[in-house]
Amino acid sequence: RRQVSPRIRRIDMGAQASKVPYPRENTVLENPPNPRYKIAVVEFQVPGAKNGGSDKGADGHRVDSIPIANGLIKAGASCDLVRYEHDKHDEFAAKVQDYDAVLVRINPGQ
């Protein structure tokens, strides 16, 4: 058995592994009825790029966008994935005014 630093506690999930309270979800969870905050995770798709860009999964989302949104929801906030489209900038600017916070998830250089 591999030696572990005494500062690190080994956790053996064993039979409980399938009962992890928050498994990774591949879709955004339902927003709570009375959220503490309303947050938007902003995404951008590169026109003509496969899946919307090199930072996207097969579903067109950045691989971390859904887990981030779900983490915020689990913490008591509501969270929506909002796509920024450069030709609809004014609509986007009006829409994000309704949020308490905006988290931008755009690959640098896009």
Side-chain angles (χ1 to χ4, degrees):
R1 198 165 145 143
R2 201 171 134 210
Q3 219 29 28
V4 177
S5 168
R7 294 179 295 161
I8 299 173
R9 190 176 81 201
R10 182 180 295 273
I11 299 173
D12 182 9
M13 303 232 0
Q16 296 298 320
S18 64
K19 297 178 183 178
V20 174
Y22 297 117
R24 179 184 168 115
E25 301 285 340
N26 293 320
T27 57
V28 177
L29 299 172
E30 187 175 324
N31 282 317
N34 298 305
R36 292 181 61 189
Y37 301 101
K38 187 174 179 184
I39 301 171
V41 173
V42 178
E43 299 180 305
F44 174 79
Q45 290 202 326
V46 178
K50 181 180 178 184
N51 297 331
S54 61
D55 60 334
K56 308 293 188 300
D59 62 0
H61 296 289
R62 281 183 61 105
V63 296
D64 58 357
S65 292
I66 292 173
I68 288 170
N70 288 341
L72 292 166
I73 291 168
K74 290 172 188 174
S78 71
C79 190
D80 299 316
L81 298 180
V82 177
R83 182 159 293 142
Y84 176 79
E85 298 176 50
H86 71 279
D87 57 341
K88 297 180 180 178
H89 176 80
D90 292 338
E91 291 173 36
F92 170 82
K95 183 174 186 167
V96 296
Q97 293 299 312
D98 295 334
Y99 291 94
D100 298 307
V102 176
L103 178 61
V104 179
R105 300 298 303 141
I106 297 177
N107 200 24
Q110 293 181 358

